Amino acid sequence: VAPAPTVVAGTPVPAPSVGVFWRSPQPGAPAFVEVGSTVEAGDTIGIVEVMKLMSNVLAPESGVIAAIHAGNGENVQFGEVLVTIAPAGA
């Protein structure tokens, strides 16, 4: 049995499709975001790859990355929460 996902206050950002979640634009490059990173609405926070098609995962709102739930290179399901964004100053 898999452990229950950690619940963090804020806006969950779901996977747009089934695929592999990448935290950086290419191997060896810095991650798009880390916990504590400030993001603006529309910023890329990761990539989901399915059959060599890359889909940018965009922040739906401005805030601070409160949690990253999926690991780099991890298979994810449609709708699975990848990161949580908390309001800035929360």
Side-chain angles (χ1 to χ4, degrees):
V1 173
T6 304
V7 176
V8 177
T11 301
V13 180
S17 67
V18 170
V20 178
F21 179 61
W22 297 108
R23 293 193 52 212
S24 62
Q26 60 190 23
F32 289 107
V33 296
E34 298 290 351
V35 171
S37 296
T38 300
V39 295
E40 297 296 326
D43 285 356
T44 299
I45 56 176
I47 296 171
V48 173
E49 174 187 5
V50 59
M51 297 178 64
K52 300 297 179 192
L53 177 65
M54 307 295 179
S55 297
N56 286 349
V57 179
L58 306 178
E61 62 186 40
S62 299
V64 176
I65 302 297
I68 299 172
H69 305 283
N72 191 49
E74 186 174 296
N75 289 318
V76 296
Q77 300 298 314
F78 171 77
E80 181 178 336
V81 177
L82 303 175
V83 303
T84 301
I85 300 174

